Amino acid sequence: MLHRPLSPVLRAWRMTRIDALLPHYCVLCGQRGTASNLCMACHDALPRASRCCRRCALPLATADAVCGPCLHSPPPWDRAVAALTYRFPTDALVCRFKFNRDFACGKLLGLELLAAVRDRGAAMPQLIVPVPLHDTRHFARTFNQADVLARGLGRALHIPVGSRLLSRTRRTQAQAGLDAASRNRNIRGAFDCARSAGRNSGSTRIALVDDVLTTGATLRECAKALRKAGAADISVWVAARAPAP
């Protein structure tokens, strides 16, 4: 006998109930944890990005300041929010999520980013847009980590997610291991906006979501494509921010 597939709403409800019934363990130390997949000790020890540049989220000694590079050459977005500093154990969480399909780590990173966004208290966007992967890399990895984070934020904040608004028009070399100049050359012109952002969709305020902000080369190209398509206000939301080299 064939059974009709569950609707997305029922499927999400079932997974929520299963998640509530099963015990949770800390993804870092293995001890009994909370619904965020951390024990309280590991939760308190996470390197949260509490003091950072409000334009690029670079860790600073003073909260809500603007760093020298952003004063000299502002990025093509208006503000940035980072949940964590990209050092241990954040780097391990990101790598496990991104390369080992560890969605418990992804859930943890998403919850930390959600808390950081709410804590900043800025005006909410009208649309959340994940940084896209090229089709070949998406096929090899089977998922886009930025899209997973964006969808979790969208559900929690009741904001639509435009997963198809941006596309990566050409396959590029992996950014990891490249210096800043090489990253800029590698990613230049690699993104396109599928339709007008703002003029036709009514979404002039956009949050651009990714897992890690390092040199900003990828997010810069994405923001340029959104600006060209009509986005008036762009926020960058990332789970982790790499410190200055």
Side-chain angles (χ1 to χ4, degrees):
M1 180 179 178
L2 295 176
H3 296 279
R4 296 177 64 185
L6 292 175
S7 69
V9 173
L10 287 176
R11 214 165 34 239
W13 177 85
R14 185 175 68 176
M15 292 305 298
T16 301
R17 296 301 302 162
I18 291 173
D19 188 59
L21 292 172
L22 292 176
H24 294 274
Y25 293 91
C26 178
V27 296
L28 292 175
C29 71
Q31 299 297 315
R32 285 293 293 266
T34 64
S36 66
N37 296 319
L38 281 179
C39 67
M40 289 309 300
C42 290
H43 174 273
D44 293 342
L46 281 179
R48 293 181 176 85
S50 56
R51 295 195 299 268
C52 53
C53 171
R54 63 174 177 264
R55 288 300 299 266
C56 73
L58 186 72
L60 295 176
T62 305
D64 200 35
V66 178
C67 69
C70 284
L71 287 172
H72 180 264
S73 180
W77 57 78
D78 299 280
R79 69 197 62 80
V81 175
L84 304 166
T85 301
Y86 192 68
R87 58 179 175 83
F88 186 82
T90 307
D91 52 358
L93 293 170
V94 170
C95 289
R96 284 168 58 181
F97 174 41
K98 193 171 182 174
F99 302 115
N100 296 341
R101 302 182 182 89
D102 191 331
F103 288 96
C105 292
K107 177 183 177 182
L108 163 60
L109 293 169
L111 289 173
E112 287 293 323
L113 181 51
L114 174 64
V117 167
R118 285 173 166 165
D119 184 60
R120 299 302 188 274
M124 287 292 111
Q126 297 163 301
L127 187 68
I128 297 174
V129 177
V131 170
L133 291 175
H134 189 268
D135 289 345
T136 54
R137 186 160 293 154
H138 198 159
F139 179 80
R141 194 175 291 171
T142 71
F143 77 104
N144 176 5
Q145 72 279 358
D147 187 63
V148 173
L149 292 172
R151 290 182 183 277
L153 290 165
R155 286 192 297 270
L157 298 171
H158 307 290
I159 297 172
V161 177
S163 294
R164 297 183 181 276
L165 185 62
L166 281 176
S167 61
R168 196 178 292 237
T169 57
R170 60 183 175 83
R171 186 178 181 182
T172 58
Q173 183 181 350
Q175 294 283 77
L178 300 179
D179 59 28
S182 298
R183 284 172 179 249
N184 289 332
R185 287 194 300 269
N186 181 51
I187 207 73
R188 188 174 295 128
F191 297 95
D192 187 36
C193 204
R195 55 186 167 83
S196 294
R199 286 192 291 264
N200 296 334
S201 66
S203 301
T204 59
R205 297 195 311 274
I206 291 176
L208 187 58
V209 174
D210 206 0
D211 55 345
V212 181
L213 169 53
T214 307
T215 65
T218 299
L219 287 160
R220 192 174 293 110
E221 290 300 312
C222 289
K224 287 178 180 177
L226 290 171
R227 289 282 193 209
K228 187 177 179 180
D233 185 274
I234 301 174
S235 299
V236 163
W237 293 354
V238 292
R241 177 54 158 114

